[in-house]
Amino acid sequence: QQFGFRQKHSKGSANCFLLEQIKGSLDKGNVVGAVFLNLKKAFDTVDHCILLQKLQQFQFSAAALLWFKSYLEDREQCVKVGTVKSNLSPNDLGVPQGSVLGPLLFSLYINDLPDCCQGVNCQLYADDTVIHVSAKTTVLAGQQLTQALHNISRWLQLSHLTLNTQKTFSVCFSINQRSPDSIFEVHLDHEPIHEVHETKYLGIILHKHLKFQSQVNHVYRKVKSNLNCFRFIRGELSHHAALLFMHAMVFSHLSYCITAWSQTSASTLKPVISLYKQAIKIFDKKTMRWHHCDIIQKHKLFTFENFVNFSILKN
C-alpha cells in the first residue's frame, strides 16, 4: 500500500485508488470513515537503531547490514546563520534527505505500519498516511477507526515517531447529508480527532460528498494567474518558448491528478475547460472570440476531453 517512491506509482494513482475504494463502498449504501494522519518531521526522526532492526526483517545479508550501519553512523550537523556557524553535534536520527537512498530507507522504516491496522484499510504515500473503513453506520465507522488509531499509537511509540494531532483530520464520506443524530467520532488516546468537511490529500481537495468544486476553484485560481502573465508576455515569446510556457505554467497545473477530479460533473469542470481554451488561443495570438477547434487542428493539440483521456492513459 505504499505509493511513494515506487515505479509506476504516483500521487495521481494514490488518489484514484483511494477514491475508487470510497466510491465502491458508497455505491453499496455504506459510509466511509477516514483519518488523514500527519507525522511530525517524519524523515528527521527515524531512529537508526530501530531502522537497522527493521532492515533485518527484509533478510539483508550481514555484510549489507554493516554497510547500512556504516552509512548511517558518525553523522554530524551544525547551524549556519550568515557567516557564523555553530559547533558540530552528533546526529543519530533521520535519513539523509536529498539522497537516493533516503526515501527508500524511510519506506522500509514504515513498511509494517499497515500490519497494525487490521480491520481497516491503510494507504501510504511516503509519510502521508490515510486509514479508512467502510461501515453501515457512522457510529460503527468511528469505533473501528478509534481502535485502529489505538494500535497505530502503540506502533508510533515503538517506532519513535510522533503524530501531529493538530494536522490530523477525520472525514466521513457519504452520498447524502447525515441526519443530526448521526454521530461520527474518532478518538486517539481519548482525545477527539477533528472532523472536517473537506481536506487536502496529496494536493487534491477531497470533499465528504466527493464534490470537487473546491478543487476546481483551486486549480482555476492558480491557472488564471499564470494565464494573465502568459497573455502579457506572449508577444515577446518565440513559438517554442510560448509552447514551453503553456505546458509548464498552464497544462502542468491542469493535469495534476486530473484523473481523480476530472470525473466530476460537466458544470463543475466548465471554468477550467474555459481556461484551457483561453490558453491555446493566447498561444496562437488569437482573440477570445476565435474558435479554439481551428487552433487545435493547426498545432495538433488535444481537446480538453482528449487531454483528460491522455492523462488517464499515462496514469
Side-chain angles (χ1 to χ4, degrees):
Q1 297 302 309
Q2 175 62 263
F3 285 81
F5 313 120
R6 294 179 63 194
Q7 287 187 345
K8 299 181 181 179
H9 290 73
S10 65
K11 292 181 179 179
S13 57
N15 267 296
C16 284
F17 187 79
L18 175 63
L19 287 170
E20 287 304 312
Q21 286 191 307
I22 293 174
K23 288 191 289 185
S25 296
L26 297 184
D27 288 342
K28 296 177 181 178
N30 294 342
V31 298
V32 177
V35 177
F36 295 82
L37 305 174
N38 185 283
L39 300 179
K40 289 183 179 179
K41 297 187 178 297
F43 281 77
D44 297 330
T45 55
V46 170
D47 188 287
H48 293 172
C49 292
I50 297 176
L51 174 59
L52 291 171
Q53 291 173 7
K54 291 191 176 187
L55 290 180
Q56 292 179 3
Q57 301 174 7
F58 294 97
Q59 299 181 354
F60 283 103
S61 67
L65 290 173
L66 286 175
W67 185 90
F68 281 116
K69 184 175 183 296
S70 174
Y71 175 73
L72 294 168
E73 66 184 3
D74 295 330
R75 291 185 173 272
E76 296 178 318
Q77 65 180 19
C78 68
V79 176
K80 184 178 181 180
V81 180
T83 58
V84 180
K85 186 170 67 173
S86 69
N87 295 327
L88 292 173
S89 299
N91 180 18
D92 58 355
L93 293 175
V95 293
Q97 295 195 45
S99 64
V100 175
L101 192 56
L104 177 60
L105 288 176
F106 181 78
S107 296
L108 294 173
Y109 191 78
I110 65 171
N111 188 66
D112 58 336
L113 172 57
D115 293 339
C116 73
C117 303
Q118 301 298 325
V120 301
N121 299 298
C122 180
Q123 182 173 314
L124 307 168
Y125 189 95
D127 59 332
D128 286 306
T129 304
V130 55
I131 60 171
H132 58 95
V133 62
S134 174
K136 288 296 183 182
T137 66
T138 56
V139 174
L140 186 57
Q143 291 174 349
Q144 291 178 289
L145 289 172
T146 298
Q147 178 59 47
L149 284 177
H150 175 72
N151 297 333
I152 290 175
S153 178
R154 293 172 56 192
W155 180 90
L156 290 172
Q157 291 176 3
L158 293 174
S159 301
H160 291 192
L161 295 174
T162 306
L163 191 68
N164 188 345
T165 55
Q166 300 300 316
K167 295 182 179 180
T168 296
F169 304 110
S170 66
V171 180
C172 185
F173 295 97
S174 61
I175 296 178
N176 302 315
Q177 293 285 349
R178 281 159 45 193
S179 60
D181 58 343
S182 181
I183 299 174
F184 177 70
E185 293 181 347
V186 183
H187 293 83
L188 173 62
D189 298 332
H190 306 291
E191 292 293 328
I193 298 295
H194 182 54
E195 182 187 1
V196 294
H197 296 312
E198 60 183 21
T199 189
K200 185 174 286 189
Y201 177 63
L202 303 178
I204 299 298
I205 302 173
L206 301 179
H207 188 270
K208 65 178 183 178
H209 297 317
L210 295 187
K211 298 178 180 179
F212 288 99
Q213 185 66 59
S214 296
Q215 173 61 24
V216 169
N217 291 341
H218 172 72
V219 174
Y220 180 87
R221 289 191 296 269
K222 187 173 292 186
V223 173
K224 183 68 174 179
S225 175
N226 292 342
L227 268 186
N228 291 335
C229 180
F230 191 27
R231 184 180 292 107
F232 183 74
I233 66 174
R234 176 61 185 98
E236 306 299 324
L237 298 178
S238 65
H239 175 85
H240 180 65
L243 186 64
L244 288 176
F245 185 96
M246 183 170 65
H247 279 280
M249 305 302 293
V250 178
F251 290 173
S252 63
H253 294 297
L254 289 175
S255 63
Y256 180 76
C257 290
I258 195 172
T259 51
W261 56 267
S262 63
Q263 307 305 313
T264 187
S265 65
S267 59
T268 303
L269 284 177
K270 191 174 181 179
V272 292
I273 296 176
S274 175
L275 290 183
Y276 183 85
K277 295 177 181 178
Q278 289 180 41
I280 60 179
K281 291 175 185 178
I282 295 172
F283 169 70
D284 200 46
K285 298 181 180 180
K286 294 297 190 298
T287 65
M288 293 300 105
R289 294 183 178 180
W290 199 273
H291 202 283
H292 68 283
C293 290
D294 297 334
I295 305 173
I296 287 174
Q297 293 178 356
K298 176 182 177 181
H299 298 286
K300 298 180 180 180
L301 298 172
F302 287 134
T303 63
F304 184 80
E305 181 182 1
N306 286 335
F307 180 78
V308 174
N309 291 335
F310 180 69
S311 299
I312 293 174
L313 288 172
K314 287 196 303 180
N315 195 51

